[in-house]
């Protein structure tokens, strides 16, 4: 399944939705952690 089919969302399964959510959550947490580390 290609990325465009996943982002389209019409045939997204619960497992795919959970994967996308946790990848997004990890990205947000990583960005926040790096921001905290770089602020003096």
């Amino acid at each position: 399944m290609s990325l465009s089919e996943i982002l389209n969302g019409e045939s997204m399964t619960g497992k795919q939705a959970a994967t996308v959510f946790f990848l997004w959550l990890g990205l947000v947490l990583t960005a926040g952690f790096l921001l905290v580390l770089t602020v003096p």
Side-chain angles (χ1 to χ4, degrees), residues 4-39:
S4 62
E5 291 175 353
I6 292 173
L7 293 177
N8 192 13
E10 291 180 5
S11 61
M12 182 179 286
T13 65
K15 187 175 182 180
Q16 289 169 335
T19 302
V20 171
F21 172 75
F22 284 114
L23 286 174
W24 175 83
L25 183 63
L27 183 65
V28 170
L29 291 176
T30 301
F33 185 68
L34 290 175
L35 184 63
V36 167
L37 287 179
T38 56
V39 172

